[in-house]
Amino acid sequence: MLHMAKKAASGSGTIRKKTVTRNGKEYTFWEARITVGTDPGTGKQIQKSFTGKTQKEVREKMQAAAVDVNNGDYFEPSRITLKSWVELWLKEYTGDKKYLTVKHYKAQCNSHIIPSLGAVKLSALTVPQIQAFYNRLLRDGLAPKSVRNIHGILTKCLSTAVKVGYLRTNPASQVTLPKVEKKEIHPLTDEQVRQFLQIAGEDEYEILLKVILFTGLRESEAIGLTWDCVDFHKGTLKICKQLQKRPKQDGGFTFAPLKNDKTRILKPARSVMALLERRWKEQAVQRLRVGDLWEGWQNEEERKTALVFTTMTGSNLSPQTVYNHYKKLAKQIGAPDSRVHDLRHTFAVLSLQNGDDVKTVQSALGHATASFTLDVYGHVSQRMQEDSAEGMEAYIQSASSR
């Protein structure tokens, strides 16, 4: 009768004394081997070895591993470096992220994470190493918010390593992060808004800038607005995409999803819709003026889905060109440091000043939560604070006179 050799059960092991010769000299040590599982592909046993100077030392190591194996807690550390894992993660596990998000991930990984921690074995990465890395970035002048952004990327990367079995736990989850001071926003004052409206008519991008000011659209949403998203009958705008500038090898200017992927319907002031009606007529005139040089829509059917804001020849606008035009106007109204994005901030503050509730402003701006909107804008308006104080004073006087 033929007897088959039995495979060692997981958790079982052996201990033996070994002697090796190196450079003519003998060295004696103890080695323990333990079966930690079976390779699902080959069916062969997976063994782990431990070495030590004494039999007692290796027996304790083997017994500790055996307990983990029998309890289902044994973990075989990954031998790859953090650099190799980061590169694999960027290539294979970020497919659900947006173009700009992945671009940001790659930039931060290549500029900071890989140069500082890339040589460390993934399984050997420790909390103190990551903490020291963040502290070093701060000492080198990186802003706390930037350090937190890098932490977010590293945390996501290591969390995936945990999911696929390369790490037991995520060491990035246990560090202490720097506090971030809230960045002060700079909306235009009422007087600056008044001056802006007076002089903006001299600029060819007047309508675009005014639409941003009185709708709170992001610049990329405004330059990506198409005529099929403008409903003159209902007086609404459908905000469902943005126009992004990408390198030529990545497609150049491209329509992309919104920041939070949520389409929103705006009901702007009648004056805004009037501005867009002006733009409809203005664009038709521009097309007739340049003739064969027109690069935009070629017939009324194409025009339905064409861009609202274009150059004189019908091509899409460049954010840099819009920026340059706005900066000229900003200097004239005494706000040389103002950015196009500050027009969005101004819209939010004006809306709150005029009595809109935070939920309405949140919806118009496309913020994920009302609490975020309140956190950003709830403290910026001196007029709101004064109105609140005057309202409370009126109540006190009324109550006291009874």
Side-chain angles (χ1 to χ4, degrees), residues 54-336:
T54 66
Q55 186 179 23
K56 179 182 178 183
E57 180 184 350
V58 296
R59 180 179 290 110
E60 289 175 349
K61 291 180 180 179
M62 184 181 72
Q63 289 174 343
V67 171
D68 285 342
V69 171
N70 291 329
N71 291 338
D73 296 328
Y74 181 76
F75 180 82
E76 181 66 22
S78 170
R79 292 187 175 90
I80 69 170
T81 63
L82 179 63
K83 177 179 184 293
S84 296
W85 169 246
V86 168
E87 291 173 345
L88 179 63
W89 175 72
L90 288 171
K91 180 181 179 182
E92 304 293 349
Y93 293 94
T94 58
D96 61 330
K97 300 295 186 291
K98 296 177 182 177
Y99 169 83
L100 289 181
T101 299
V102 176
K103 183 179 180 181
H104 174 66
Y105 284 1
K106 289 180 179 178
Q108 297 302 323
C109 287
N110 292 328
S111 298
H112 299 293
I113 296 174
I114 290 177
S116 296
L117 299 172
V120 180
K121 281 189 177 181
L122 180 62
S123 58
L125 188 63
T126 65
V127 177
Q129 284 177 314
I130 298 174
Q131 187 69 62
F133 166 51
Y134 294 162
N135 294 343
R136 187 163 58 252
L137 292 177
L138 289 169
R139 288 195 300 272
D140 290 343
L142 211 63
K145 188 176 187 301
S146 297
V147 173
R148 280 180 169 264
N149 287 339
I150 292 171
H151 168 73
I153 296 169
L154 183 58
T155 298
K156 290 182 178 68
C157 177
L158 297 181
S159 291
T160 305
V162 173
K163 289 180 181 178
V164 301
Y166 279 10
L167 283 177
R168 186 193 293 272
T169 59
N170 186 344
S173 63
Q174 302 171 53
V175 298
T176 300
L177 295 173
K179 292 184 178 180
V180 177
E181 293 184 7
K182 188 179 296 183
K183 191 173 182 180
E184 187 176 353
I185 64 173
H186 299 283
L188 300 181
T189 65
D190 289 344
E191 177 58 24
Q192 288 171 336
V193 170
R194 186 187 65 79
Q195 293 178 9
F196 176 79
L197 295 179
Q198 288 181 343
I199 66 172
E202 303 170 7
D203 193 275
E204 64 183 280
Y205 291 169
E206 169 204 3
I207 297 177
L208 168 66
L209 295 173
K210 285 183 177 179
V211 166
I212 294 176
L213 173 60
F214 293 123
T215 62
L217 291 181
R218 297 179 178 89
E219 182 182 6
S220 59
E221 295 170 344
I223 65 174
L225 185 66
T226 50
W227 285 116
D228 57 316
C229 294
V230 180
D231 191 324
F232 289 114
H233 178 68
K234 294 181 179 179
T236 60
L237 302 180
K238 180 181 179 182
I239 311 304
C240 59
K241 58 186 178 297
Q242 58 179 322
L243 190 65
Q244 286 182 350
K245 182 180 181 181
R246 301 180 181 180
K248 287 185 178 180
Q249 63 268 25
D250 292 335
F253 280 96
T254 305
F255 283 116
L258 297 177
K259 191 171 183 180
N260 63 1
D261 291 323
K262 292 183 179 179
T263 295
R264 60 191 193 274
I265 303 296
L266 305 185
K267 180 80 174 178
R270 289 192 300 273
S271 296
V272 173
M273 299 307 296
L275 285 171
L276 291 171
E277 288 179 354
R278 258 184 61 195
R279 176 58 194 154
W280 175 269
K281 298 173 183 177
E282 178 183 80
Q283 195 178 64
V285 171
Q286 290 173 341
R287 179 172 181 260
L288 290 174
R289 184 179 298 148
V290 299
D292 293 339
L293 296 177
W294 182 254
E295 300 174 35
W297 43 272
Q298 297 302 316
N299 53 58
E300 288 305 312
E301 189 61 30
E302 288 184 6
R303 187 180 188 185
K304 292 178 182 178
T305 56
L307 290 169
V308 173
F309 299 108
T310 59
T311 65
M312 293 291 189
T313 57
S315 60
N316 65 269
L317 297 181
S318 164
Q320 184 62 48
T321 303
V322 176
Y323 170 85
N324 293 339
H325 279 258
Y326 176 68
K327 292 300 283 188
K328 291 178 182 178
L329 297 174
K331 289 179 181 178
Q332 295 181 55
I333 63 174

